[in-house]
Amino acid sequence: MKKVILAYNRVSPEVITQLKEDYEVIYFEKNEYLDDPFFVQTLKKASGVIGLDLKVTKELLDLAPELKIISNVSVGYDNLPVDELSQRGIMATNTPDVLTDTTADAIFGLLLAAARRIAELDHYVKSEQWNELLPPHLFGMDVHHKRLGIIGMGRIGQAIAKRGHFGFDMEILYHNRSRKLEAENWLNASYVSMDELLAESDFVCLMVPASPETKQLISHEEFKKMKQTAIFINGSRGQNVDEDALYHALENGTIWAAGTDVFTEEPLPAGHKLLTCKNLVTLPHIGSSTAETEHKMSVVAANNLQAGLSGKLPPNLINKEVKLNR
Ligand code: GLV
């Protein structure tokens, strides 16, 4: 009998077809299904789960006695209780590397858009307000030769720094849990304290993973430490920023502008106050969302799943300490 795979939310159709050769794959288009009896029934017999951003809780795991592996189609894994999975002998995997450049492109795009007011001026043209020379109060801010501060110098942070350093002659500052000596060399990046980074950067770009330690890492105090001309970019997770503080920093002119791809609640609820900020560029969490990269992520996730279910170590195992219950 084929093992059962519960697939949900954004696994590419080609990959589903390929998985069906070896497994019984049951696909759900969304991932909020605990009140759906068919989802629960599938979970009960699933050996593997593959998809994007399923909120995995103890309650969900209690309903999945056969589960051996959860294969995230994302690099982030804040949806997974990693220690709990390890204790239960369930492997967890993610999809690093394939999305690094795509995500860095998107986040650098956000930075450019915020600095040069691209979204705002697109609206200006399309709403037929362009009937004179652009008034100076709508001028943007230079990016080239400015100072880019990156908080979280992982793979994507470094790829953003690379764009800034080689493409835009920017000076790179960074703050990270550990020094990245290689990046210091090839990107001429300077390791600085958080306070120094906030105070000295023209662009502050947040790229840390979400964890209890990074919850609301950027709040009122941090915005106050930034330059009044600073542009703040969040390409990490919404919960890493106090959105109330961001709103006030933008409205009161504590900083000049911001761009964010992520929000505490996604999709952003109707009527959210950040929607009224003209100096905020928003994206609907699309860092890795190009057709090519989404497909590559599905392939990597499927490889992880197949390795895990055939008794091998998945290439992108997150919880290396897992005591396999095979
Ligand atoms: C996207 O946010 C990811 O974690 O892959």
Side-chain angles (χ1 to χ4, degrees), residues 130-159:
W130 186 29
N131 43 32
E132 54 175 354
L133 268 183
L134 189 74
H137 76 268
L138 290 177
F139 286 174
M141 191 84 90
D142 273 335
V143 173
H144 64 89
H145 294 95
K146 292 282 182 73
R147 197 176 286 144
L148 171 59
I150 309 234
I151 306 169
M153 197 68 151
R155 297 175 182 89
I156 303 174
Q158 289 186 37

Side-chain angles (χ1 to χ4, degrees), residues 7-145:
Y8 60 89
N9 213 355
R10 288 245 290 271
V11 183
S12 86
E14 296 89 333
V15 169
I16 294 283
T17 306
Q18 178 213 320
L19 286 173
K20 279 185 175 164
E21 287 176 16
D22 297 320
Y23 306 104
E24 184 189 343
V25 182
I26 302 173
Y27 184 68
F28 293 84
E29 267 177 24
K30 290 191 188 145
N31 57 16
E32 304 296 338
Y33 271 97
L34 276 195
D35 50 0
D36 173 347
F38 186 50
F39 185 86
V40 173
Q41 200 186 317
T42 307
L43 208 48
K44 283 191 171 146
K45 50 187 184 173
S47 298
V49 159
I50 181 170
L52 170 70
D53 205 26
L54 181 68
K55 298 278 173 275
V56 176
T57 57
K58 283 187 186 180
E59 183 195 2
L60 183 144
L61 292 172
D62 286 343
L63 293 168
E66 302 297 321
L67 199 57
K68 301 282 182 289
I69 180 164
I70 301 183
S71 175
N72 258 11
V73 188
S74 63
V75 67
Y77 47 86
D78 43 299
N79 61 316
L80 304 178
V82 176
D83 290 343
E84 180 69 28
L85 291 174
S86 298
Q87 276 164 26
R88 293 181 188 233
I90 299 170
M91 292 171 276
T93 61
N94 67 342
T95 61
D97 301 322
V98 280
L99 48 54
T100 299
D101 281 317
T102 300
T103 306
D105 285 351
I107 304 307
F108 209 87
L110 201 49
L111 183 156
L112 288 171
R116 300 303 305 270
R117 306 172 78 150
I118 289 174
E120 191 183 348
L121 294 176
D122 171 71
H123 175 73
Y124 175 80
V125 175
K126 288 181 184 160
S127 60
E128 300 180 6
Q129 294 176 65
W130 186 29
N131 43 32
E132 54 175 354
L133 268 183
L134 189 74
H137 76 268
L138 290 177
F139 286 174
M141 191 84 90
D142 273 335
V143 173
H144 64 89
H145 294 95

